[in-house]
Amino acid sequence: AGLAPSAPLAARHAVGSAPALTARGAGRPRAMSSASGSGGPVGWKSLAMMAVTGGGVLYFFERERTRRLDSVKAGPSAGKASLGGPFELQLANENGRRWDTSELRGGYALLYFGFTMCPDICPDELEKMAACVDIVNAKMSTAQPPLEKEKARETPGDERRLPLTPVFVSIDPERDTVKRVAEYVKEFHPNLLGLTGTVDACKRAAKQYRVYYHKTGDDDEKDYLVDHSIIMYLVDKNGEFVTFYGKNYEAKEMAEAIVEQMKRLG
């Protein structure tokens, strides 16, 4: 009889406390299932997947980095460069007779595109070219095997062929006549070939080597200058473009680089 009054009190306590328990539990995150391998918000499987993905990205990055480094160390690709090619002009050294690039075959050539009325850049570059050519020819003549020298003597015209021939190509044919170019090249080197021709012929030659040039000033005046690229182009024994050398090269440095190319290509 003494226990009867406590039943409603227990019921009231149960009913009143239930919402409080629900409210306290509502804000808690639900625990991960035991299948995830962890009771935290990120399971071991998720961590493992992230590690595998990250490792794959790092592997791909390192492989690509190594491939690029190897390609740089290997040098230019074996594919043919879309630069250089045959052209036909007039040889100022021999009274403007017809000349084409096939006459350079059998030896290496170093080409420079400029104009005779250039005040400073062309003379400086041609002097550098002359010094470079002398260094290369001295080194390669002594390095040439006796068999090769004998073979050269047996081939008509090759007895006077240099290992490296310097070539000057005019980009200002309106003023660079045959006579003018002939006198000009003599000032720099006895073996420097001087080439000129018609406007269209010189333009085609320059286009083969993607030479930039542009007249500055009034075209009607005869004292204009020509803005142009300052580059020397190395051509191999088959008349194919090998590489180029910019204004930043000194004569000795360029000569050493050319000798290495000639030894590599034979």
Side-chain angles (χ1 to χ4, degrees):
L3 295 174
S6 64
L9 180 60
R12 285 197 303 272
H13 176 73
V15 171
S17 61
L21 289 172
T22 304
R24 285 197 299 270
R28 296 178 183 175
R30 301 179 63 182
M32 298 289 291
S33 65
S34 60
S36 66
S38 173
V42 179
W44 288 111
K45 283 188 177 181
S46 299
L47 288 173
M49 185 174 295
M50 289 171 64
V52 170
T53 303
V57 172
L58 288 174
Y59 170 76
F60 176 80
F61 175 80
E62 184 62 25
R63 187 180 67 174
E64 182 66 12
R65 176 177 171 273
T66 303
R67 185 187 68 80
R68 293 191 179 189
L69 285 174
D70 290 342
S71 67
V72 170
K73 292 177 182 177
S77 63
K80 183 179 177 182
S82 59
L83 191 69
F87 58 83
E88 181 180 315
L89 287 171
Q90 293 175 267
L91 181 60
N93 309 64
E94 298 183 14
N95 301 317
R97 73 165 175 84
R98 178 183 172 276
W99 180 96
D100 64 68
T101 48
S102 65
E103 297 188 35
L104 294 172
R105 295 199 174 191
Y108 286 80
L110 191 61
L111 278 60
Y112 179 77
F113 293 78
F115 64 111
T116 62
M117 296 187 72
C118 181
D120 46 20
I121 297 296
C122 291
D124 290 346
E125 290 300 294
L126 290 174
E127 286 178 359
K128 181 171 71 176
M129 173 189 266
C132 169
V133 166
D134 284 342
I135 296 171
V136 171
N137 287 337
K139 288 188 175 182
M140 295 307 294
S141 293
T142 56
Q144 190 178 30
L147 183 62
E148 289 295 322
K149 291 181 180 179
E150 185 64 29
K151 184 179 178 182
R153 282 196 293 269
E154 293 173 357
T155 306
D158 279 3
E159 65 277 358
R160 60 187 179 88
R161 187 185 299 279
L162 298 169
L164 180 64
T165 300
V167 182
F168 169 81
V169 184
S170 173
I171 52 173
D172 184 22
E174 294 97 333
R175 296 181 299 182
D176 286 349
T177 62
V178 167
K179 182 179 179 181
R180 188 183 190 97
V181 173
E183 293 297 323
Y184 185 70
V185 295
K186 288 179 183 177
E187 299 177 10
F188 300 99
H189 198 282
N191 300 113
L192 177 59
L193 301 184
L195 303 174
T196 188
T198 65
V199 172
D200 288 340
C202 289
K203 185 181 294 185
R204 283 194 296 271
K207 187 176 181 180
Q208 290 282 51
Y209 286 85
R210 299 184 183 178
V211 176
Y212 162 80
Y213 65 100
H214 177 72
K215 289 182 180 179
T216 59
D218 193 344
D219 288 350
D220 295 333
E221 298 178 2
K222 292 297 183 181
D223 60 348
Y224 60 84
L225 295 176
V226 182
D227 183 26
H228 63 95
S229 51
I230 308 168
I231 294 174
M232 295 186 198
Y233 303 86
L234 181 65
V235 178
D236 69 12
K237 294 179 179 180
N238 297 315
E240 301 290 341
F241 166 77
V242 178
T243 188
F244 62 87
Y245 305 96
K247 189 176 182 293
N248 56 310
Y249 276 84
E250 296 296 333
K252 185 178 180 181
E253 180 188 8
M254 183 164 61
E256 291 173 352
I258 291 174
V259 167
E260 287 301 314
Q261 291 286 1
M262 294 171 74
K263 288 180 177 178
R264 180 178 67 86
L265 298 172

